[in-house]
Amino acid sequence: MELKLDAAGVQALIRAGLSAAAKGGVVVEEVRAGYARVRIPFRDSMVRPGNVISGPTLFTVADTAMYALVLAHLGPALMAVTADMNIHFLSRAALGDVIGEARLLKLGRRLAVMEATLSTSAAPGAIVAHATGSYALPAGL
């Protein structure tokens, strides 16, 4: 499976198309066939009561990792949109940068199906959430 964009190209598209991603400092660390890794630097606004990373933040990172994966494989398909997402919160997410690793399960003509695992820099390798989702792809790609 050939990539259309490298990590820097994907990051530039995401930051240009989503002002919240630019303000949040989304970093696309790696893309390769069937895989993307993103990082969102820690900010105080991510913290929920209990002194852990909030669920909405984890969801955002999962969605961003999947979007990065789609863009890396399709190029500047900015109108690819989340069709569905299911997330399981597995353990408390310690405060730190949030890392999302997305894997492509199937890339069809109209739908991309993926999974993502989430961790934080405070506990590298400890998966705090697992998500599955799909993106509806624009016609004509």
Side-chain angles (χ1 to χ4, degrees):
M1 187 173 315
E2 180 181 326
L3 294 182
K4 304 279 174 125
L5 293 171
D6 63 10
V10 171
Q11 179 175 299
L13 275 176
I14 290 174
R15 286 184 175 192
L18 301 167
S19 62
K23 289 177 189 171
V26 168
V27 177
V28 178
E29 294 186 332
E30 179 183 358
V31 295
R32 62 178 188 263
Y35 175 86
R37 177 184 165 109
V38 302
R39 176 184 299 262
I40 296 184
F42 176 77
R43 294 183 318 279
D44 288 337
S45 61
M46 297 175 167
V47 181
R48 59 152 286 149
N51 214 33
V52 296
I53 300 291
S54 71
T57 299
L58 295 172
F59 184 95
T60 298
V61 175
D63 195 34
T64 302
M66 290 182 194
Y67 191 45
L69 186 55
V70 167
L71 292 176
H73 285 80
L74 298 181
L78 297 178
M79 292 311 297
V81 295
T82 308
D84 77 283
M85 177 123 14
N86 185 20
I87 189 164
H88 296 277
F89 301 103
L90 305 175
S91 63
R92 297 169 51 94
L95 302 183
D97 295 354
V98 183
I99 300 143
E101 297 181 85
R103 289 161 194 81
L104 189 61
L105 301 176
K106 180 179 179 179
L107 180 59
R109 288 190 346 253
R110 302 290 292 149
L111 197 69
V113 181
M114 296 160 281
E115 70 172 344
T117 54
L118 307 172
S119 60
T120 71
S121 60
I127 297 172
V128 298
H130 176 263
T132 56
S134 63
Y135 263 68
L137 307 177
L141 288 177

